[in-house]
Amino acid sequence: MTDVVIAGGGPVGLMLACELRLAGVDVLVLERLTERVPHSKALGMHARTLEVLDQRGLAERFLEGHKRAPTTHFAGLRPLEFDASATRHPYMLLIPQAHTERLLAERAAELGVEIRYGTEVTGLTQDADGVDIEVAGGAPLRARYLVGCDGSRSTVRRLLGVDFPGTPATLTAMIADVTLDDPPATPALLARHPGGQAGVLEYEPGTYRAMTIEYDTVADPDVPVTFDEFKATFRRIAGTDHGMRDAIWVSRFGDAARQADRYRVGRVFLAGDAAHIHNPSGGQGLNLGVQDAVNLGWKLAAAVHGHAGEDLLDSYHTERHPVGARVLQNTHAQVALSRPGHAVDALRELFAELIRAEEVNRRLTGLVSALDVRYPVDGAHPLTGARMPDADLKTPDGDTRVSRLLHSGRGVLLDLTEDPALRSAAAGWTGRVDLVPARHADTRLDGVDAVLVRPDGYVAWAAPTDVTLPHALNTWFGPAR
């Protein structure tokens, strides 16, 4: 019996597979397609996702050779500026999804993950001990857990009977990756016109992402779009097609927004687009899914190893469902702010004025980049539930930083005051939590005596607080040995 079977070998499934193998879990990825798709839906990787990759020692692989955009936007209103004091990655990385998948697949191979391409899940049943999985044209499989990372039309979600409520599409958008003979002097994605939106963005030398949006018209997403149709639409909206040619791929989508009402049903979980879909405003979708995977991975590994109770597994839905709902909400707002019309023009002018205020700018940047995600964790300390600052540290083993301490995928207990009681209190969790004595010069940690950091980089406990360390360790890392 396999420990965990993952349906779907896209970025979310691959990230989850890497997290599980890093924790010593036997994992099998089933991908319906016979090979990886060469084109890319997603283009942007936000700061929080880069932090997550940094926590596993992978960030440099993704940064190499790709552009860094120092600002982002909200409904096309710029600039939303990153706070360099809040993250080591104050930018949005322009990296095609195909590159992300390739790099994650390479990492999965290094860790020994088995990926079966051309293998489609067709049925599932579960009992108290595991999940029986039927696959097209192959022998059935049995796993202790199954995770559906199989996209917006998730077979796993359908087989579970999980509702996927939300709102239908109200617009038609098209994208194409092209060469431009006459690119605009200042490329922008997207520019507003009376008939909709159109724009281009160069994401690799000589290669542009072109996009159009037509409001209040909904095309059948199952009908293929041709390049000629795309060019005609672009010209109709923008008055020119900039001499576009040699399309790598063309696709259409809408702004339907839906979210699974449950992310967990017994031994089966949903992540990524299988759990939520929304308009791609702000480039949040891939990032949201990868962060789902990192939240779930260590919890599922703890369950496989016998350390996790039902409450820890349930916390995946408790923590990630509100985050997904917030993304659906802000993308709805961005679509509303992007529509044509005099009333929206006035609203955008006001909104652009508000964005110039530092507090508003920082609030929206944190929202779109997921740097402001905070989980409901017991404890009165201001750090609990928030992402751990990637502080520079001096330890007995030399200079390091917090993210490097998380490369193993284990929890970290930072002792910042050389408290001998910490070692005694944490003794029963050796192997699950690394105790690290350290000094720091980071003002964000001033007055902090100790910090318990989860494998996903969020703070589970900080001292001084009203919650005891053994209680926090038991909650997040299971009973002591």
Side-chain angles (χ1 to χ4, degrees):
M1 178 166 65
T2 305
D3 288 335
V4 180
V5 167
I6 299 170
V12 179
L14 290 170
M15 188 72 206
L16 178 59
C18 291
E19 290 290 283
L20 291 168
R21 278 303 300 146
L22 186 64
V25 172
D26 179 28
V27 60
L28 171 63
V29 178
L30 307 179
E31 170 53 54
R32 176 181 59 84
L33 301 177
T34 56
E35 59 184 3
R36 290 199 305 273
V37 175
H39 51 256
S40 303
K41 291 191 297 182
L43 274 184
M45 187 172 284
H46 278 294
R48 181 55 192 157
T49 304
L50 287 163
E51 289 183 343
V52 164
L53 293 170
D54 213 352
Q55 291 167 187
R56 298 298 182 259
L58 302 174
E60 291 303 320
R61 302 188 189 193
F62 290 79
L63 292 171
E64 185 178 355
H66 296 109
K67 290 184 176 181
R68 306 178 191 187
T71 64
T72 185
H73 70 91
F74 191 87
L77 295 168
R78 291 180 180 271
L80 295 184
E81 298 175 347
F82 293 94
D83 181 358
S85 68
T87 178
R88 292 185 187 271
H89 304 283
Y91 45 81
M92 185 174 185
L93 188 69
L94 299 181
I95 178 171
Q97 180 175 328
H99 294 197
T100 296
E101 290 190 15
R102 174 179 55 79
L103 291 168
L104 287 175
E106 289 173 0
R107 176 58 174 163
E110 292 170 5
L111 293 169
V113 173
E114 181 184 357
I115 304 173
R116 294 184 190 173
Y117 290 97
T119 306
E120 183 176 5
V121 173
T122 58
L124 69 88
T125 56
Q126 60 176 311
D127 54 39
D129 300 314
V131 186
D132 292 305
I133 304 159
E134 299 174 20
V135 297
L141 303 168
R142 185 164 172 82
R144 297 176 68 178
Y145 297 95
L146 169 66
V147 186
C149 302
D150 50 344
S152 60
R153 301 187 182 188
S154 170
T155 298
V156 173
R157 187 185 66 235
R158 176 178 57 79
L159 292 170
L160 283 175
V162 170
D163 288 339
F164 201 42
T167 56
T170 66
L171 58 81
T172 294
M174 293 190 286
I175 56 175
D177 289 344
V178 299
T179 299
L180 299 182
D181 289 332
D182 184 26
T186 55
L189 190 76
L190 288 153
R192 296 173 77 242
H193 300 274
Q197 288 182 282
V200 297
L201 178 69
E202 186 179 33
Y203 65 90
E204 290 183 332
T207 302
Y208 292 79
R209 168 65 53 89
M211 185 171 174
T212 64
I213 299 178
E214 294 179 288
Y215 294 91
D216 301 318
T217 177
V218 180
D220 186 343
D222 293 325
V223 176
V225 58
T226 67
F227 185 38
D228 286 342
E229 180 184 355
F230 176 81
K231 286 197 296 183
T233 301
F234 198 103
R235 283 195 301 269
R236 184 168 63 250
I237 295 173
T240 177
D241 64 15
H242 300 292
M244 62 179 63
R245 57 180 172 82
D246 300 336
I248 299 171
W249 77 301
V250 186
S251 183
R252 77 167 102 233
F253 60 91
D255 64 332
R258 300 187 180 279
Q259 186 176 27
D261 61 2
R262 291 174 291 168
Y263 283 15
R264 179 193 180 196
V265 179
R267 290 178 170 268
V268 185
F269 300 79
L270 300 172
D273 286 357
H276 39 69
I277 61 169
H278 54 85
N279 184 268
S281 299
Q284 298 170 81
L286 181 146
N287 297 271
L288 178 63
V290 167
Q291 291 163 42
D292 286 346
V294 175
N295 182 284
L296 176 60
W298 66 278
K299 297 173 181 178
L300 207 49
V304 168
H305 293 313
H307 306 318
E310 293 298 307
D311 287 347
L312 185 62
L313 292 178
D314 284 341
S315 74
Y316 169 62
H317 172 93
T318 302
E319 292 183 342
R320 294 306 296 173
H321 193 275
V323 175
R326 199 158 174 246
V327 171
L328 264 67
Q329 179 194 49
N330 88 60
T331 52
H332 270 311
Q334 291 189 67
V335 169
L337 270 170
S338 300
R339 287 181 171 275
H342 297 301
V344 176
D345 289 345
L347 185 60
R348 286 178 68 84
E349 289 177 11
L350 176 60
F351 215 81
E353 184 178 322
L354 292 173
I355 283 176
R356 288 195 288 272
E358 182 179 354
E359 183 178 350
V360 176
N361 198 293
R362 187 167 297 181
R363 181 77 174 266
L364 290 175
T365 304
L367 176 69
V368 173
S369 66
L371 289 172
D372 69 346
V373 168
R374 190 184 194 103
Y375 295 135
V377 177
D378 288 340
H381 197 283
L383 276 179
T384 53
R387 36 185 272 280
M388 177 66 186
D390 190 16
D392 291 312
L393 303 171
K394 292 185 179 296
T395 76
D397 295 327
D399 293 351
T400 187
R401 50 191 173 94
V402 171
S403 59
R404 290 177 184 152
L405 299 177
L406 292 167
H407 285 187
S408 67
R410 294 189 295 272
V412 173
L413 176 58
L414 274 180
D415 175 8
L416 301 175
T417 60
E418 297 183 4
D419 182 357
L422 283 180
R423 184 171 296 278
S424 175
W429 288 270
T430 302
R432 287 175 254 168
V433 177
D434 298 329
L435 176 62
V436 181
R439 286 280 183 267
H440 71 89
D442 193 313
T443 57
R444 293 172 294 181
L445 298 180
D446 285 351
V448 180
D449 297 336
V451 187
L452 178 62
V453 186
R454 305 182 341 177
D456 58 358
Y458 287 86
V459 176
W461 172 89
T465 185
D466 55 350
V467 175
T468 66
L469 175 59
H471 173 80
L473 286 164
N474 186 74
T475 298
W476 298 106
F477 297 95
R481 292 193 319 275

